[in-house]
Amino acid sequence: MHIHGVCDGSAYLDENYQYFLGISNFVNNKLMESGIISRERVRLLYNGVEIENFEKRLSDLEKKEEKEKYGIRDKEKVIVFCGRTIKEKGVKELILAYKKIYKECDTKLIIVGNSNFANEVVTEYDRELKLIAEEIKDNVIFTGHISNKDL
């Protein structure tokens, strides 16, 4: 069984699957927490990524245009989250942590993605994220979905 999210070990899983492939140590540890699934049956298999999709090089002019588009000054550093904006990804925790340090460093936080891949759906969690970021909205940028080719 290939596990992409938190999954509790159960008698059903124990009886129906020989091995478990979790995408992270966190996922694997949660699976084994109940004591039903033994460590010997659990393996780690990270999600794959096609690196060549992210090797695009921008000219200096393109970089300048992108920075202007998002209001990023030349010397500012950028912290990027890229993924689905769902609880399991820790976006809320990232924003809360960023709120504690943003005054100490010259940075912007960019949140790339939404809760439902390319479908622009706004969930209660999305609204909560924007509410948390409201008081530092000049430093947090929500882009919504950006296709891999444009990323």
Side-chain angles (χ1 to χ4, degrees):
M1 179 178 189
H2 192 200
I3 305 168
H4 286 260
V6 174
C7 178
D8 296 328
S10 68
Y12 173 82
L13 294 177
D14 184 46
E15 293 167 11
N16 288 286
Y17 296 95
Q18 186 173 2
Y19 292 101
F20 301 88
L21 304 172
I23 63 164
S24 70
N25 286 318
F26 177 81
V27 167
N28 287 349
N29 290 335
K30 284 294 184 182
L31 176 66
M32 295 182 292
E33 225 170 56
S34 68
I36 296 172
I37 308 297
S38 67
R39 179 165 298 284
E40 295 76 33
R41 296 172 59 200
V42 178
R43 302 287 188 274
L44 182 62
L45 179 64
Y46 295 117
N47 281 332
V49 63
E50 293 184 38
I51 297 293
E52 52 279 348
N53 286 343
F54 303 99
E55 293 180 330
K56 182 178 180 180
R57 299 287 175 223
L58 299 179
S59 69
D60 289 341
L61 177 60
E62 288 171 315
K63 287 178 189 177
K64 184 178 183 219
E65 289 170 350
E66 285 297 311
K67 285 181 175 185
E68 286 174 0
K69 176 178 169 182
Y70 293 111
I72 300 167
R73 296 184 314 275
D74 279 340
K75 299 293 182 192
E76 254 177 337
K77 301 281 189 239
V78 178
I79 300 168
V80 178
F81 168 87
C82 184
R84 289 185 298 137
T85 52
I86 58 174
K87 282 184 181 183
E88 294 83 358
K89 301 286 185 178
V91 186
K92 177 180 175 180
E93 292 77 7
L94 173 62
I95 296 170
L96 290 170
Y98 180 72
K99 283 175 81 169
K100 291 179 179 183
I101 60 112
Y102 82 99
K103 289 180 184 176
E104 300 168 22
C105 48
D106 197 14
T107 62
K108 289 266 198 275
L109 173 61
I110 299 180
I111 309 292
V112 178
N114 63 38
S115 60
N116 196 18
F117 299 100
N119 300 317
E120 291 293 334
V121 174
V122 178
T123 65
E124 188 61 38
Y125 187 69
D126 291 321
R127 285 189 278 281
E128 181 182 0
L129 295 176
K130 289 191 178 172
L131 184 63
I132 291 168
E134 179 63 27
E135 67 187 69
I136 58 169
K137 63 183 174 190
D138 293 339
N139 292 79
V140 180
I141 301 160
F142 292 90
T143 68
H145 175 77
I146 297 177
S147 70
N148 282 348
K149 78 174 187 56
D150 293 330
L151 194 55

